[in-house]
Amino acid sequence: MSARYPVMLDVSRLSVLVVGGGEVALRKVRGLVEAGGRPEIVSPELHPELLEIVRARGLSWRERGYETGDAAGFTLVFAATDSAAVNERAGREAADAGALVDVADDPGRSHFHLPASIRQDDVVVAFSTGGASPLLARRLRERLEAVVTPGLGRAARRLARVREEVRTRWPEDGARRREAWFGLVTPEFLDAAIEGRDDDVEHRISTCLSQS
C-alpha cells in the first residue's frame, strides 16, 4: 500500500452519508458528530446507542436498506453495514458519483481510512501504523494519552483567546507578536498544561501579556 496523505477535514461543511446501523456505523457517526458533522444515515435498524445520538442530534435517518441513488450528492460516504455485498455496491456507486469513500474492511475499495485519534477540546492527534502492528498502535496511544490530556485541551482553548488579544495589542508588529508567543509557549508552559496546572498556565499568560 502506498503512503497515505494525512489531512484534517472540516466535516461541518461537508455532506456525509453513513450506510449501516451497527457498531461500525456507530463508531463512524460518533466520531463525525464529535467533529461537528451531521451525517445522514441509511439503515433498517440502528444500534441503541446510535439511535440515541440520532434523536439527541436530530440527524436524518432513512429507516430502510440501501437503495441505488442513496449516495448521490454526498462528499463523504461510509459503507459500514454487515454485508460485504451492500458495502461494495454503496461504495462503488458513491465513488462513481464523485464521493470519497470508506468501505468497511475493504481498503482496496476505500479512498481513505480513519486513523486512531485522541481528542481534547481543539487538540486532536491522529496516528496510524498502516496496519503494520495493532499492538504498536495500542502502545503509541498509551504514550500519547499521557501527553494529550484534558489540561492540554483547556490550555489550547485559552490560547485561542490569547491569540486575539495578541493580534489586537500588536496589530502591525509581527516581530513583537512572535516574541510574545515564543516567550509564552515554552517547555515549562507545556508541562503545566499537560499536568492540568491551570493556575500556572494563567499566570504565565498574564505575565507574558503584561510585558508589553
Side-chain angles (χ1 to χ4, degrees), residues 61-139:
W61 170 31
R62 302 180 214 176
E63 195 174 348
R64 56 168 174 75
Y66 177 82
E67 296 178 0
T68 296
D70 282 347
F74 289 92
T75 308
L76 293 179
V77 175
F78 295 85
T81 75
D82 58 3
S83 167
V86 171
N87 290 343
E88 186 278 331
R89 178 183 163 209
R92 172 170 40 82
E93 292 181 358
D96 289 345
L100 293 176
V101 178
D102 175 42
V103 181
D105 298 323
D106 195 344
R109 297 183 186 277
S110 301
H111 295 117
F112 66 96
H113 75 279
L114 300 183
S117 64
I118 302 171
R119 179 187 298 273
Q120 296 290 353
D121 287 308
D122 289 338
V123 178
V124 182
V125 175
F127 57 95
S128 172
T129 62
S133 170
L135 183 57
L136 175 60
R138 176 181 172 184
R139 296 301 186 218

Side-chain angles (χ1 to χ4, degrees), residues 11-32:
V11 293
S12 69
R13 301 169 61 185
L14 303 179
S15 55
V16 185
L17 176 68
V18 176
V19 181
E23 292 188 2
V24 176
L26 168 62
R27 292 196 296 272
K28 307 295 186 185
V29 171
R30 184 190 293 130
L32 288 163

Side-chain angles (χ1 to χ4, degrees), residues 19 44 48 71 143 146 155 184 193 205:
V19 181
R143 184 68 62 87
L184 173 58
I205 291 173

